[in-house]
Amino acid sequence: MQKFRIFISLIGLKGFSSILDGWIWLAVQNGVETLDIDIETDRDTIYDLPQTIFSAKSVTTLKIAGCKLEQTSGNISFYFLKSLTLDKVQLNEQMIQKLTSECPLLEKLNFYSCWGMKCLCISNLPKLKIMHIHVSYEDELERLKISIPSLEEFRLVFEDPRVNSCVIDVDECPLANDLELMGDIFRDREFHDFISKFPVLKKLSVEWCRYLEKITISSKRLKKLRISHCANLKVLDVDTPNLSFFTFMFNQIPVSSINAPCPWRVVLDHGDVDARWYLNMKEFLRPSNKICDLTLYAEPSKNTFGFDDFWKIAPALCCEVEHMTLHARRLPSNYGSLLDRALWICYPKYLTIESGGRNQKKFIKYVYDELMNEDLNCCNSQAIKCWRHYLKDFAVESSIIKDPDQQMGIDDLVDVLYTRPNETLHFALDWSPPAADSTGC
């Protein structure tokens, strides 16, 4: 037998455990290689795995969910086990030590929301390369100790901010090159001490770490960096000259010093902010050689936004962006402010408008009308003028338009778009920006 999977709910069923025991025994006796046991119960009636499972000599991939894994009195015969996943499993420290000490070929180990242990210590796994640990609200974990010299990929997720008192001790992981941290795990000092344990990182992801206020990363090896949903981030210092991709999503705009000459993907979410917020965004984007994707979730502002004031504060040229997406959340009370602020910050090659339902239709038509407007008597007194003076031409592109020569008005396009939520519409913009020396910078 190559693969056997059980996915069943025992809630409200009585006397069914013995039938499950028989199925598992049958699979083990027939040399099963992949065994996937997913049992839905509650904690009062959790299913006890039979002892026969520990004699599955031929199993290479084992997934257990919603069960109790009791200490076995005999040996564990997982001689060929390479991948072990435990999801919502009740077990203790002794069972973990026995599993890890008697699975010499284990390459992948996952713990998802397991309980019954206060200390999780993983060591003595000479071939382990991948390990994922997800600590949930109901876990009682007080200490995590990892010592795996062969480890290459490590994912650590803390779902509950109350568990941030957990002592995390990672040592002897000199080969780990892929690290993902999620949740309220560290404060600034603990975070920097932790990542210093991984000297050859090539990929780093930091998400939902709301206690972090400062992130400092200096690495010539790092290739991919992702910082997402770190709500209290105030300072970002990045020196990664060989980075190949940088993602910065749903954080506030920090005071930053960034050396990352690679494509950036930036997603920013804000409410009714003033001009200073956009100036901070412009300063944040300035070090990039190429913003490949910029997305703004915004509420159309009711605040006035005079270009004269903007120019006095920030005369530098706009940055170039491959693709910008604007998400307008509310009614079109002042779409003009949102559009002007965005296009005074950057010159996107492609502009996509997203919004909910009929608001999207209104916003698209508004943007189209503004792009068509050739009245340039708005800021002639300035050396660097607003975006309207540097937009040479534009075209509407959509998968709705099958033939390039097809003539379809904007009203017809948005009507079709409204009936096809999976379709998109882009404005392809052709810019003629001013020369750099005309800024005086």
Side-chain angles (χ1 to χ4, degrees), residues 350-380:
Y350 295 97
L351 174 62
T352 299
I353 304 301
E354 295 289 349
S355 185
R358 298 186 182 277
N359 287 346
Q360 182 186 33
K361 180 177 179 179
K362 294 177 181 178
F363 196 13
I364 290 174
K365 291 184 68 175
Y366 176 85
V367 171
Y368 179 84
D369 291 340
E370 286 296 299
L371 296 178
M372 287 289 292
N373 185 4
E374 296 183 355
D375 182 10
L376 301 180
N377 297 319
C378 49
C379 48
N380 287 325

Side-chain angles (χ1 to χ4, degrees), residues 276 278-279 282-283 286 306-319 344-345 347 382-386 390 433-441:
R276 173 56 60 181
Y278 284 86
L279 297 173
K282 183 177 182 180
E283 183 66 19
R286 184 180 56 82
F307 183 72
D308 291 343
D309 295 334
F310 187 90
W311 166 247
K312 291 175 183 177
I313 301 174
L317 291 173
C318 298
C319 63
W344 279 336
I345 293 298
Y347 295 136
Q382 300 292 350
I384 300 296
K385 302 174 179 59
C386 73
Y390 305 111
D437 58 3
S438 66
T439 66
C441 299

Side-chain angles (χ1 to χ4, degrees), residues 83-87 107-114 117 120 122 128-135 144 146 148 151-158 178-181 203:
S83 177
L84 173 62
T85 298
L86 303 177
D87 185 0
E107 297 178 357
K108 184 176 182 179
L109 177 60
N110 299 325
F111 289 93
Y112 299 132
S113 304
C114 296
M117 53 187 176
L120 178 57
I122 308 295
L128 191 67
K129 297 180 180 180
I130 300 173
M131 182 163 57
H132 296 174
I133 298 175
H134 186 127
V135 182
L144 173 63
I146 308 295
I148 306 293
L151 193 65
E152 297 179 4
E153 177 184 321
F154 185 34
R155 185 172 190 259
L156 181 59
V157 178
F158 274 50
D178 188 344
L179 176 63
E180 181 175 345
L181 304 175
K203 183 179 179 181

Side-chain angles (χ1 to χ4, degrees), residues 271-283:
D272 187 11
V273 295
D274 58 15
R276 173 56 60 181
W277 188 92
Y278 284 86
L279 297 173
N280 291 339
M281 179 177 70
K282 183 177 182 180
E283 183 66 19

Side-chain angles (χ1 to χ4, degrees), residues 138-203:
E138 298 178 339
D139 294 346
E140 301 174 353
L141 195 64
E142 296 177 355
R143 186 184 182 194
L144 173 63
K145 182 175 177 58
I146 308 295
S147 180
I148 306 293
S150 59
L151 193 65
E152 297 179 4
E153 177 184 321
F154 185 34
R155 185 172 190 259
L156 181 59
V157 178
F158 274 50
E159 187 177 307
D160 187 356
R162 294 172 298 177
V163 299
N164 62 26
S165 59
C166 176
V167 177
I168 301 174
D169 184 6
V170 175
D171 194 13
E172 297 184 9
C173 299
L175 301 180
N177 58 68
D178 188 344
L179 176 63
E180 181 175 345
L181 304 175
M182 182 180 295
D184 297 323
I185 308 173
F186 304 110
R187 298 185 186 273
D188 293 353
R189 183 173 179 178
E190 290 85 354
F191 170 77
H192 293 104
D193 288 344
F194 183 80
I195 63 172
S196 67
K197 305 289 184 65
F198 303 88
V200 296
L201 278 182
K202 295 182 179 179
K203 183 179 179 181

Side-chain angles (χ1 to χ4, degrees), residues 63-76:
K63 297 180 181 179
I64 301 173
C67 303
K68 183 187 295 184
L69 199 57
E70 294 285 356
Q71 177 72 32
T72 177
S73 56
N75 293 328
I76 295 178

